[in-house]
Amino acid sequence: MAVNILVVEDEPAIQELIAVNLEHAGHHVIRARDAEAALGIVRNALPDLMLIDWMLPGMSGVALAKQLRGDERTRGIPIILLTARSEEHDKVQGLEAGADDYVTKPFSVRELQARIKAVLRRRAPQMTDDPVEIGGLRLDPSTHRVFGDKSPLELGPTEFRLLHFMMTHAERVHSRTQLLDQVWGDHVYIEERTVDVHIRRLRKSLEPTGHDRLIETVRGSGYRFSANPTA
Ligand code: CA
């Protein structure tokens, strides 16, 4: 799955190495050379994950991570710090600042990719290609297919993303605004009732095997995917 990764790194050679390899792995890479530029990019659109170099000109990578964690809008961005230092107290400081993980330079591209995958699994499972199976409903992101009790179901692309997000965040109620941010992207101005339209289409697609009942409407709050629907 293509993930939007913002790489904040001032050393051109390292920035290039990371960007080329992540793009080769199918990700979309946005580059920034310092914290200020990164904040400008984040203001426009939230990335799915950020790789932040510790030593940046001006505001440090740790200070940037702290600032992102302190803001409600950017709090949820998974962050991996890149550090040339390997001292234990620096790592602790980085994790305390809110980083989800850190990678010590020099690192192999393979190691970096493994860390990215692990952080996404933990923080944004809808961004991974891991298949999800709940209550007899199986969604496979790598083949883009959905099966209800092993029979294939036909879903449109938006319904697929919606179901993927809801299945990877099951049993929780999501407001229409949250679903818009997560599935359509933040800073995308779409009316809330668009969500209702796609929920209706999603239920219709799941109807042949009766899995539409797993999508619950929570009155006054939003929607929930549940393995044990109350209705
Ligand atoms: Ca640096």
Side-chain angles (χ1 to χ4, degrees), residues 9-11 53 55-56 105:
E9 166 65 80
D10 58 310
E11 286 155 74
D53 184 33
M55 299 292 281
L56 292 169
K105 291 182 191 173

CSV table of all heavy atoms in Angstrom, one decimal, residues 9-11 53 55-56 105, ligand 1:
chain,number,residue,atom,x,y,z
A,9,GLU,N,15.2,15.7,6.6
A,9,GLU,CA,16.6,15.3,6.6
A,9,GLU,C,17.4,16.4,5.9
A,9,GLU,O,17.0,16.7,4.7
A,9,GLU,CB,16.8,13.9,6.0
A,9,GLU,CG,18.2,13.6,5.7
A,9,GLU,CD,19.1,13.5,6.9
A,9,GLU,OE1,19.0,12.4,7.6
A,9,GLU,OE2,19.9,14.4,7.2
A,10,ASP,N,18.4,17.0,6.5
A,10,ASP,CA,19.1,18.1,5.9
A,10,ASP,C,20.3,17.7,5.0
A,10,ASP,O,20.7,18.4,4.2
A,10,ASP,CB,19.6,19.1,6.9
A,10,ASP,CG,20.5,18.4,8.0
A,10,ASP,OD1,20.1,17.4,8.5
A,10,ASP,OD2,21.6,19.0,8.2
A,11,GLU,N,20.7,16.4,5.2
A,11,GLU,CA,21.9,16.0,4.4
A,11,GLU,C,21.3,15.4,3.1
A,11,GLU,O,20.6,14.4,3.1
A,11,GLU,CB,22.7,14.9,5.1
A,11,GLU,CG,23.5,15.5,6.2
A,11,GLU,CD,23.8,14.5,7.3
A,11,GLU,OE1,24.7,13.6,7.1
A,11,GLU,OE2,23.2,14.6,8.4
A,53,ASP,N,15.1,13.5,11.1
A,53,ASP,CA,16.5,13.4,11.5
A,53,ASP,C,16.6,14.2,12.8
A,53,ASP,O,16.0,15.2,13.0
A,53,ASP,CB,17.4,14.0,10.4
A,53,ASP,CG,18.8,13.9,10.8
A,53,ASP,OD1,19.2,12.9,11.4
A,53,ASP,OD2,19.6,14.8,10.4
A,55,MET,N,19.4,15.6,14.1
A,55,MET,CA,20.2,16.8,14.0
A,55,MET,C,19.8,17.6,12.8
A,55,MET,O,20.2,17.3,11.7
A,55,MET,CB,21.7,16.5,13.9
A,55,MET,CG,22.2,15.7,15.1
A,55,MET,SD,22.3,16.8,16.6
A,55,MET,CE,23.8,17.7,16.3
A,56,LEU,N,19.0,18.7,13.0
A,56,LEU,CA,18.6,19.5,11.9
A,56,LEU,C,19.1,20.9,12.1
A,56,LEU,O,19.2,21.3,13.3
A,56,LEU,CB,17.1,19.5,11.8
A,56,LEU,CG,16.4,18.2,11.3
A,56,LEU,CD1,14.9,18.3,11.6
A,56,LEU,CD2,16.7,17.9,9.9
A,105,LYS,N,21.8,5.8,12.6
A,105,LYS,CA,22.6,5.9,11.4
A,105,LYS,C,24.0,5.3,11.7
A,105,LYS,O,24.5,5.5,12.8
A,105,LYS,CB,22.9,7.3,11.0
A,105,LYS,CG,21.6,8.0,10.5
A,105,LYS,CD,22.0,9.4,10.0
A,105,LYS,CE,20.8,10.3,9.7
A,105,LYS,NZ,21.2,11.7,9.5
B,1,CA,CA,21.2,16.1,10.0
